[in-house]
Structure formats: structure tokens, C-alpha cells
């Protein structure tokens, strides 16, 4: 009876985490024949479990940053980026603010395209490709408002693209297909800015390119010939870029037949300017330089880049084409203003180093361009 009371008291006594009492309790549970290693292992597991269990007196858990994950890893701290993403349930999917921003860019870009069309290209009959170019030709031949022609082409092309290619275009493409002709109709009474066809082609191309660039930054499309090019690419195997060029070229050639060869040449200028402007809007005007450096003194150059230029770099493994020897290539991205400093640093350390410098339009990451908590589009 005394032995049973003694054991009961012993089991009911509070266990001191990590102390000899934990080890004794494990021994009492498993018996004298238990392996010491197993006993110590169980005591250690109990200690870790108790250390992260809710406090019996307050009912509160320890700080999340100190907790263990389901596989023994560190649980993300409260308020951390990983924890926020898990609470959102989207794994980094864009939120409603991002969607609002994209739709605003779509609407603004469509408005810029419509205004540029009505004050530059339309009045001067410059059919620089796309559905807008077709609408210029149709207006000249049949007197139909360009907006109606654009609706008559955009909506069937969207439906046909959805039928043949699947629902990959999304709601924004449908909105763009409807809104752009609407803006063209609403701004049709704006006065023409110039009667000079060359100026109209250049500035109209800039306006159309700027508007389409904004639409593309909103991850959207205005539909039209882009959808036709994707369908042609799907069923002919021709590259997408060549499909776009073929369709735009066909429209410009048609303008040369029904308008005039001179207007077709102006339209080609407008198309070229549009393409370049889209690239500028999407990639920006700031060009950085990427440098590849091959040198026997690569360690000294590495330290100079890190501590004098204050730039990060990457080591690439390469093999000499002639010698077959293994070499290290240093890759570093610098701004335009740092190019001369980089060349001077390499020249000072190793005058015989082999350096390749090339332009890069856009660099995303630490020390360069970031927007919010995610990379720019």
C-alpha cells in the first residue's frame, strides 16, 4: 500500500523539464530494462514537446518564431512574409489592389490609343496595321465609322479565339476588345493635330505604342489581330512574331492598294514607331550593362567589385575552348555611370583580363528595381 502511494505521488509530481526527474519518469514508465539511449531520446522529445506546448496556466502558446513546424523546421514568425502569404491562401497571387491597377492601366492605355488614333492616324488615313488600320481602310471605302468596324472584328475574333484556343484570354481581353472601340467612338470629334502625314505617322505611332504599352503592363490585351496571329500560329506552326508581321504587312499592303502607295509607306513608319514605343514603355529608357570578366586574378577583381563598387556578382563555371582548362567567369550588372569605374578597376588589377560588356534593358532585384513586395511586371 505504501509502495503504491509512493508511486502515485511520484507520477503526480510536477516534471521539471530537462532535469533528472524527466529521465526518472521515463525510466519508471518503461521499466528497469529500458535502453538508456531510448530513455534519453524519449526525455529529449518530451522536453521539446513541453517547451512548445501551450502554457497550462495562461492557455497561451510560445512565440511563433520559436515554434517547430510539422517536420521539425522553423515555423514562420507571426507577421512574416511567408505567414502572410499562407493566411491569404493565394501563395503569392495578386490581390484585389493588383487587379484594380491592371484594369486601370487597361482603361488608360485604351484611351491613349483611341485619342492618338483620332487626332493623328484616322484623319490622315494612316493604316498602320491591326484592327485600327483595317477600320481606316473600311472608312475610306464605305464610310463606316472606325469604332463599328473595330467592334465588328474584335468581338468575333475574341469568340473564335476562345473557341479554338481555349479560355486563356480572360476577362481583360474581352474588356479591351469592347472598351477600345468605345473610346474611339467617344473621342471621334477631337480635332486633328496636323495635316502633315509624316508627323501624323510618327506621333500617332508614339501614341499608339504608349497606349498599348500601358495595356500590356496591365497584363491585358485589346484583342484584334493579336488573337488572329495566335490562331494562325497555332494552326500553321509559323512563329508568333512572324504571324504578327505577316498580318500587319497584309493590312499595310491593302492600304497601298485602296488608299495610295505613299500612305502605305507612312503606315510602315507608324508601325515601326509603335513597336519601338511599346518596348520603351515596357522596359524603360534606363539601360544597364552586364559584364562578363575572365581573368587569372579573378579573386582580386571579385573583391574590388564587392568592396569598391559595392556591387554583387556571380561566378560562372566555364571551360576554355582552346586549352580545355576550367575557368571562372565573373558576371556583374552595373549602371551606366559605373561602367567606367568597373573598366578602370579591372584594368588596374589585370590589364590582360578579357571583358565583355553588353546592354540589358531591365534588371530586377536588390540594388536595382523593385515595386512593393514583388518584382515589377
Amino acid at each position: 500500500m505504501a509502495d503504491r502511494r509512493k508511486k502515485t505521488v511520484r507520477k503526480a509530481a510536477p516534471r521539471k523539464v530537462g532535469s533528472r526527474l524527466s529521465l526518472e519518469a521515463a525510466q519508471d514508465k518503461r521499466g528497469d530494462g529500458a535502453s538508456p539511449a531510448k530513455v534519453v531520446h524519449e526525455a529529449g522529445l518530451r522536453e521539446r514537446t513541453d517547451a512548445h506546448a501551450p502554457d497550462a496556466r495562461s492557455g497561451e502558446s510560445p512565440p511563433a518564431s520559436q515554434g517547430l513546424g510539422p517536420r521539425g523546421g522553423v515555423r514562420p514568425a507571426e507577421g512574416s512574409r511567408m505567414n502572410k502569404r499562407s493566411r491569404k491562401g493565394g501563395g503569392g497571387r495578386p490581390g484585389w489592389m493588383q487587379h484594380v491597377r491592371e484594369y486601370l492601366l487597361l482603361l488608360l492605355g485604351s484611351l491613349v490609343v483611341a485619342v492618338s488614333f483620332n487626332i493623328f492616324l484616322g484623319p490622315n488615313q494612316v493604316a498602320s496595321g491591326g484592327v485600327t488600320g483595317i477600320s481606316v481602310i473600311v472608312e475610306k471605302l464605305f464610310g463606316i465609322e472606325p469604332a463599328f468596324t473595330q467592334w465588328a472584328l474584335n468581338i468575333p475574333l475574341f469568340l473564335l479565339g476562345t473557341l479554338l484556343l481555349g479560355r486563356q484570354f480572360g476577362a481583360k481581353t474581352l474588356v479591351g476588345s469592347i472598351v477600345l472601340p468605345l473610346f474611339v467612338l467617344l473621342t471621334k470629334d477631337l480635332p486633328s493635330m496636323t495635316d502633315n502625314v509624316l508627323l501624323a505617322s510618327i506621333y500617332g505611332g508614339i501614341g499608339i505604342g504608349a497606349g498599348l504599352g500601358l495595356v500590356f503592363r496591365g497584363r491585358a490585351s485589346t484583342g484584334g489581330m493579336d488573337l488572329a496571329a495566335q490562331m494562325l500560329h497555332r494552326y500553321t506552326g509559323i512563329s508568333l512574331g512572324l504571324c504578327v508581321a505577316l498580318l500587319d504587312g497584309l493590312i499595310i499592303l491593302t492600304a497601298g492598294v485602296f488608299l495610295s502607295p505613299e500612305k502605305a509607306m507612312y503606315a510602315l513608319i507608324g508601325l515601326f514607331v509603335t513597336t519601338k514605343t511599346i518596348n520603351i514603355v515596357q522596359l524603360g529608357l534606363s539601360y544597364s550593362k552586364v559584364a562578363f570578366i575572365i581573368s587569372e586574378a579573378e579573386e582580386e577583381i571579385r573583391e574590388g567589385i564587392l568592396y569598391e563598387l559595392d556591387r554583387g556578382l556571380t561566378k560562372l563555371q566555364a571551360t576554355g575552348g582552346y586549352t580545355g582548362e576550367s575557368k571562372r567567369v565573373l558576371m556583374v550588372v552595373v549602371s551606366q555611370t559605373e561602367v567606367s569605374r568597373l573598366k578602370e578597376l579591372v584594368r588596374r588589377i589585370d590589364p590582360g583580363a578579357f571583358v565583355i560588356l553588353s546592354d540589358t534593358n531591365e534588371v530586377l532585384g536588390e540594388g536595382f528595381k523593385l515595386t512593393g513586395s514583388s518584382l515589377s511586371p
Side-chain angles (χ1 to χ4, degrees), residues 21 37 135 142 146 298 349:
L21 288 179
S135 67
F142 305 106
E298 55 106 356
I349 296 174

Side-chain angles (χ1 to χ4, degrees), residues 82-320:
M82 188 186 304
N83 213 18
K84 287 178 181 177
R85 286 184 178 179
S86 63
R87 286 201 304 269
K88 288 179 181 178
R93 293 178 183 175
W96 66 272
M97 285 294 293
Q98 177 71 14
H99 289 299
V100 170
R101 175 180 176 272
E102 290 173 356
Y103 275 100
L104 288 177
L105 287 173
L106 170 59
L107 295 176
L108 178 60
S110 299
L111 180 61
V112 172
V113 170
V115 170
S116 301
F117 174 80
N118 280 322
I119 66 177
F120 291 117
L121 301 182
N124 292 281
Q125 297 179 353
V126 179
S128 58
V131 170
T132 55
I134 296 176
S135 67
V136 171
I137 299 173
V138 172
E139 183 185 27
K140 174 66 175 178
L141 295 178
F142 305 106
I144 301 175
E145 280 286 343
F148 298 129
T149 303
Q150 293 169 20
W151 270 321
L153 291 174
N154 277 345
I155 296 176
L157 280 172
F158 176 81
L159 297 176
L160 185 62
T162 303
L163 179 65
L164 297 179
L165 303 178
R167 300 179 181 180
Q168 65 185 39
F169 305 116
K172 284 184 287 188
T173 301
L174 179 59
V175 171
S177 301
I178 296 173
V179 165
L180 176 58
L182 176 62
F183 285 154
V184 171
L185 184 64
L186 294 176
T187 59
K188 67 176 183 176
D189 294 327
L190 291 176
S192 174
M193 294 293 292
T194 180
D195 294 328
N196 187 310
V197 184
L198 178 59
L199 289 178
S201 302
I202 293 173
Y203 284 97
I206 292 173
I208 297 289
L212 290 177
L214 291 174
V215 171
F216 295 157
R217 286 183 71 91
R219 302 178 186 180
S221 170
T222 56
M225 300 312 290
D226 290 339
L227 302 182
Q230 291 189 39
M231 287 184 281
L232 184 63
H233 163 68
R234 173 76 174 270
Y235 290 100
T236 63
I238 303 173
S239 68
L240 185 59
L242 183 57
C243 290
V244 173
L246 287 174
L247 292 175
D248 284 336
L250 183 61
I251 294 169
I252 292 174
L253 183 63
T254 305
V257 173
F258 291 103
L259 299 179
S260 72
E262 189 179 44
K263 291 290 180 65
M265 289 187 281
Y266 285 126
L268 193 59
I269 293 173
L271 180 61
F272 176 79
V273 175
T274 296
T275 304
K276 292 298 181 182
T277 307
I278 290 174
N279 291 336
I280 290 173
V281 172
Q282 288 199 288
L283 302 177
L285 286 171
S286 59
Y287 287 86
S288 298
K289 296 282 187 180
V290 57
F292 297 93
I293 306 167
I294 304 173
S295 170
E296 297 296 332
E298 55 106 356
E299 186 60 30
E300 290 85 349
I301 295 175
R302 182 190 72 86
E303 292 183 358
I305 293 172
L306 289 175
Y307 302 114
E308 292 184 37
L309 288 184
D310 194 24
R311 281 294 180 196
L313 73 159
T314 302
K315 287 184 177 182
L316 305 177
Q317 188 66 43
T319 303

